[in-house]
């Protein structure tokens, strides 16, 4: 029986999301007992949507998520506690 490992990658950079996805696949490729489920999010709002709908084992959160509509920098660090509330076991 396979164990599913779900990972949410949150980063405003497509290149960084892709690099993290590739690295996750590399890490788990030699573990035939693990089925890897990857989801990506470019925004913190989308990440909260996904985190409220799906259980994740691991969340990779960029510390700099770009600039919001109010022109202020969005810090991933500011959202750690809220994500932990939605995903207490991640």
């Amino acid at each position: 029986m396979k164990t599913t490992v779900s990972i949410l990658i949150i980063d405003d950079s497509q290149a960084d999301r892709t690099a993290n996805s590739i690295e996750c696949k590399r890490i788990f490729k030699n573990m035939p007992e693990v089925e890897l489920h990857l989801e990506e999010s470019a925004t913190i709002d989308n990440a909260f949507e996904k985190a409220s709908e799906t259980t994740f084992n691991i969340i990779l959160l960029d510390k700099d998520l770009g600039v919001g509509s109010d022109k202020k920098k969005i810090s991933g660090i500011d959202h750690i506690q809220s994500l932990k509330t939605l995903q207490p076991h991640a």
Side-chain angles (χ1 to χ4, degrees):
M1 182 174 175
K2 287 191 173 196
T3 299
T4 300
V5 174
S6 294
I7 301 175
L8 175 59
I9 301 168
I10 308 166
D11 200 309
D12 59 312
S13 165
Q14 177 63 56
D16 290 343
R17 288 194 313 273
T18 299
N20 280 308
S21 180
I22 290 168
E23 186 62 15
C24 288
K25 290 174 185 174
R26 185 194 66 77
I27 289 168
F28 287 96
K29 77 176 181 181
N30 292 324
M31 298 181 193
E33 70 281 4
V34 173
E35 181 176 327
L36 189 60
H37 173 79
L38 293 173
E39 288 199 39
E40 298 179 8
S41 180
T43 67
I44 195 67
D45 291 336
N46 181 256
F48 280 121
E49 279 181 41
K50 289 178 185 258
S52 66
E53 297 169 356
T54 304
T55 300
F56 293 98
N57 304 101
I58 300 168
I59 298 175
L60 301 178
L61 175 61
D62 185 21
K63 82 173 178 103
D64 179 12
L65 293 170
V67 178
S69 59
D70 59 358
K71 307 295 184 214
K72 292 183 181 179
K73 286 188 175 186
I74 301 170
S75 171
I77 294 168
D78 294 340
H79 298 283
I80 292 172
Q81 192 57 49
S82 297
L83 285 167
K84 286 290 292 173
T85 299
L86 284 173
Q87 298 285 325
H89 300 291

